């Protein structure tokens, strides 16, 4: 069954209701050739979901790395991914950026505005996630984190004035259906399909994204 985000014509979001985190992680590695690694998970204490890290004030409960050297855990092997999630079936699914893709992170409101503009411009999008903390991540070709500051300046914006954050080497995104405690699950605003296997360059999306972030200030 698939659900859509209200108000977003392009947002066909598979909820993967019958699919486990293990099966989903394996599919990302197998079908998309994305590196994956298991993050923290949620534990119920007196009926309340808490992050396995033990921090009561965790900003991303159940959706962040478990250790500082998390990058060494990331794998593109479906077999290794299956083995890792078998050890902890409820672990979140995290995808390192700077490898097969970078991501451009913007506020949710700016992201939906940008999606509408991109549709009118007939731009080809890669996958886009929507997180419970109201951020959207647009997947683009690796190298975006280096290009974005200069691209934004060329458009006449100050990088510091826009809430547009490139995620490259050393960063990661949480993948659907990872949950942020009681806040909800990460969803696809633009789901992975055979049509968007080839990702856009950051330069193709930066104009509508910068415009939307400028309007969103």
């Amino acid at each position: 069954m698939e659900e859509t985000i209200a108000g977003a014509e392009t947002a066909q979001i598979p909820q993967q209701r019958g699919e486990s985190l293990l099966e989903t992680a394996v599919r990302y590695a197998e079908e998309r050739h994305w590196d994956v690694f298991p993050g923290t998970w949620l534990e119920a204490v007196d009926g309340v979901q808490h992050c396995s890290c033990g921090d009561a004030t965790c900003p991303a409960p159940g959706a962040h790395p478990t250790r500082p050297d998390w990058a060494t855990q990331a794998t593109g092997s479906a077999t290794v991914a299956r083995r890792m999630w078998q050890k902890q079936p409820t672990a979140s699914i995290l995808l390192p950026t700077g490898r097969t893709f970078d991501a451009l992170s913007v506020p949710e409101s700016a992201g939906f505005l940008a999606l509408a503009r991109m549709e009118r411009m007939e731009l080809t999008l890669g996958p886009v996630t929507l997180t419970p903390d109201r951020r959207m991540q647009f997947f683009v070709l690796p190298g975006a984190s280096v290009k974005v500051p200069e691209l934004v300046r060329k458009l006449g914006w100050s990088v510091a004035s826009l809430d547009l954050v490139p995620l490259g080497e050393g960063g990661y995104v949480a993948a659907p259906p990872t949950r942020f405690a009681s806040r909800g699950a990460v969803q696809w605003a633009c789901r992975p399909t055979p049509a968007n296997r080839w990702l856009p360059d950051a330069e193709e999306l930066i104009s509508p994204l910068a415009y939307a972030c400028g309007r969103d200030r």
Side-chain angles (χ1 to χ4, degrees):
M1 178 180 290
E2 294 187 350
E3 292 184 0
T4 60
I5 296 177
E9 294 178 6
T10 58
Q12 298 293 324
I13 303 172
Q15 290 292 332
Q16 301 159 325
R17 287 180 176 167
E19 195 165 302
S20 68
L21 286 158
L22 182 155
E23 292 167 334
T24 307
V26 168
R27 189 161 52 81
Y28 288 151
E30 202 165 52
E31 297 180 8
R32 298 299 292 198
H33 304 295
W34 289 338
D35 284 1
V36 297
F37 68 99
T40 53
W41 55 93
L42 297 173
E43 298 176 334
V45 179
D46 296 327
V48 179
Q49 298 283 350
H50 293 277
C51 186
S52 62
C53 72
D55 182 356
T57 61
C58 179
H64 64 86
T66 59
R67 49 197 246 193
D69 64 342
W70 58 264
T72 63
Q73 290 182 286
T75 179
S77 164
T79 301
V80 175
R82 182 177 298 280
R83 191 157 55 238
M84 290 195 294
W85 266 270
Q86 282 174 339
K87 292 179 182 177
Q88 182 48 256
T90 58
S92 53
I93 303 173
L94 305 180
L95 311 175
T97 50
R99 299 189 183 187
T100 50
F101 64 87
D102 278 7
L104 303 179
S105 177
V106 301
E108 174 188 307
S109 52
F112 279 125
L113 176 60
L115 280 176
R117 287 179 65 85
M118 290 173 187
E119 186 175 355
R120 290 196 298 270
M121 295 166 70
E122 298 184 346
L123 294 178
T124 300
L125 290 176
V128 181
T129 62
L130 172 63
T131 65
D133 57 355
R134 304 181 72 85
R135 303 287 299 183
M136 292 178 76
Q137 282 88 30
F138 290 72
F139 289 23
V140 293
L141 289 172
S145 57
V146 176
K147 297 178 182 180
V148 163
E150 181 60 24
L151 291 173
V152 168
R153 280 192 289 270
K154 284 182 177 179
L155 291 169
W157 296 96
S158 160
V159 177
S161 70
L162 299 181
D163 189 1
L164 197 168
V165 182
L167 302 172
E169 188 173 356
Y172 64 90
V173 298
T178 295
R179 295 192 66 82
F180 282 51
S182 59
R183 300 181 211 168
V186 183
Q187 303 179 72
W188 289 115
C190 242
R191 64 191 179 93
T193 68
N196 64 19
R197 183 173 293 278
W198 302 105
L199 299 175
D201 190 277
E203 193 165 0
E204 299 173 58
L205 306 187
I206 199 67
S207 177
L209 283 173
Y211 171 82
C213 287
R215 285 279 303 273
D216 196 53
R217 289 185 301 172

